[in-house]
């Protein structure tokens, strides 16, 4: 049995599609479906919150997981990154009000709002800039507009949220995409099964 931790929605749909192409499972889930565990043949899938996927994999509850690089960096888990799946491409950026340009670099104690406090702190520490990190859980763009922060560290995909709120990305910290990850112990005990999935995915990605 090979267990995957996935996040529900677009990402899980893509993985089911790829596994179907490999003739390993045939699963489709619609919006009404509320199951959190799906089993078929030799595969079991947990549908978790995206930020919790590394936790299931790190603890060995799941052998494999599919998760964004942002979550991997933020969570600092003991997991092995096997494959860049190439979808879910976006960037982790420092963003600020349009009229401010890159003047955030000159602020002595910079107030940074973010859903990613570890990534933000590591970045500004590496730049030698003092910060106060303000953790938010969503709608981070509100922070500089309302005066809660000077800038934000957040994901930029199309850039639309920034544009519609008078902000711009100033500095890219990381390029991001979805990654296939594994529990290090599973990698040893289930090497053949995991290799089959990795090689299969690799072949599909090559075709595209
Ligand atoms: C993410 C991210 C940005 C937005 C970027 O938020 O935090 O706000 O998407 O996408 P765009 O560049 O295509 O506009 P999400 O939709 O997850 O909502 P949240 O802010 O409530 O977490």
């Amino acid at each position: 049995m090979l267990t995957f931790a996935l996040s529900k929605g677009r990402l899980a749909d893509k993985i089911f599609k790829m596994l179907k192409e490999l003739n390993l499972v045939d699963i489709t889930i619609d919006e009404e479906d509320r199951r959190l565990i799906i089993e078929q043949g030799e595969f079991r899938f947990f549908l978790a919150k995206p930020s919790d996927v590394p936790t299931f994999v790190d603890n060995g509850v799941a052998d494999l997981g599919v998760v964004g690089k942002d979550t991997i960096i933020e969570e600092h888990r003991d997991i092995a990154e096997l494959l860049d799946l190439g979808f879910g491409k976006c960037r982790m950026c420092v963003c600020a009000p349009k009229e401010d340009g890159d003047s955030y670099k000159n602020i002595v104690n910079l107030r940074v709002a973010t859903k990613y406090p570890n990534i933000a702190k590591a970045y500004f520490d590496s730049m030698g800039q003092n910060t106060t990190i303000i953790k938010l859980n969503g709608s981070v763009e509100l922070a500089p507009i309302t005066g809660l922060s000077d800038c934000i560290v957040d994901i930029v995909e199309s850039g639309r949220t920034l544009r519609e709120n008078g902000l711009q990305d100033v500095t890219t910290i990381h390029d991001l995409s979805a990654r296939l990850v594994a529990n290090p112990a599973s990698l040893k005990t289930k090497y053949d099964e995991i290799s089959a999935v990795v090689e299969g995915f690799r072949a599909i990605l090559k075709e595209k």
Side-chain angles (χ1 to χ4, degrees):
M1 185 65 98
L2 211 48
T3 303
F4 273 76
L6 301 175
S7 54
K8 210 167 178 170
R10 217 153 39 111
L11 196 140
D13 294 343
K14 285 214 176 226
I15 296 302
F16 290 142
K17 198 170 162 229
M18 287 170 86
L19 291 170
K20 190 175 176 186
E21 268 185 71
L22 297 172
N23 291 317
L24 293 173
V25 296
D26 187 356
I27 297 171
T28 39
I29 44 176
D30 58 39
E31 273 181 24
E32 293 302 306
D33 204 319
R34 292 289 180 271
R35 286 176 298 168
L36 298 176
I37 299 182
I38 298 172
E39 279 187 21
Q40 197 179 90
E42 293 300 303
F43 289 84
R44 181 193 287 139
F45 302 91
F46 298 150
L47 298 172
K49 275 280 231 193
S51 55
D52 292 335
V53 166
T55 310
F56 284 95
V57 177
D58 183 6
N59 285 285
V61 173
D63 303 306
L64 293 169
V66 176
V67 63
K69 181 71 177 172
D70 51 320
T71 305
I72 297 175
I73 307 171
E74 179 66 19
E75 291 282 314
H76 283 301
R77 294 279 173 170
D78 182 18
I79 52 178
E81 201 179 307
L82 303 181
L83 201 57
D84 182 344
L85 294 165
F87 51 79
K89 278 194 179 160
C90 52
R91 294 177 296 130
M92 184 68 69
C93 297
V94 180
C95 312
K98 229 172 179 167
E99 62 275 16
D100 292 354
D102 67 354
S103 63
Y104 77 85
K105 292 177 178 168
N106 305 319
I107 298 177
V108 175
N109 191 356
L110 185 69
R111 297 168 304 149
V112 183
T114 187
K115 285 187 277 187
Y116 302 91
N118 293 329
I119 292 176
K121 185 168 183 335
Y123 174 69
F124 286 107
D125 282 356
S126 77
M127 301 304 286
Q129 191 167 5
N130 241 352
T131 53
T132 298
I133 305 288
I134 302 160
K135 167 81 164 72
L136 292 179
N137 296 302
S139 303
V140 180
E141 292 82 0
L142 266 178
I145 305 171
T146 58
L148 179 65
S149 75
D150 302 304
C151 64
I152 61 174
V153 165
D154 200 17
I155 287 175
V156 179
E157 197 175 346
S158 65
R160 191 170 161 198
T161 312
L162 292 178
R163 277 196 302 280
E164 293 192 3
N165 291 287
L167 306 174
Q168 67 177 357
D169 57 304
V170 188
T171 306
T172 297
I173 303 180
H174 297 289
D175 286 312
L176 306 169
S177 57
R179 310 292 161 100
L180 179 67
V181 296
N183 173 272
S186 300
L187 213 43
K188 292 186 182 138
T189 56
K190 301 186 180 179
Y191 182 80
D192 291 343
E193 298 97 306
I194 291 176
S195 292
V197 171
V198 173
E199 291 317 315
F201 280 4
R202 205 170 262 147
I204 291 174
L205 294 172
K206 234 184 214 162
E207 281 167 20
K208 290 181 176 154

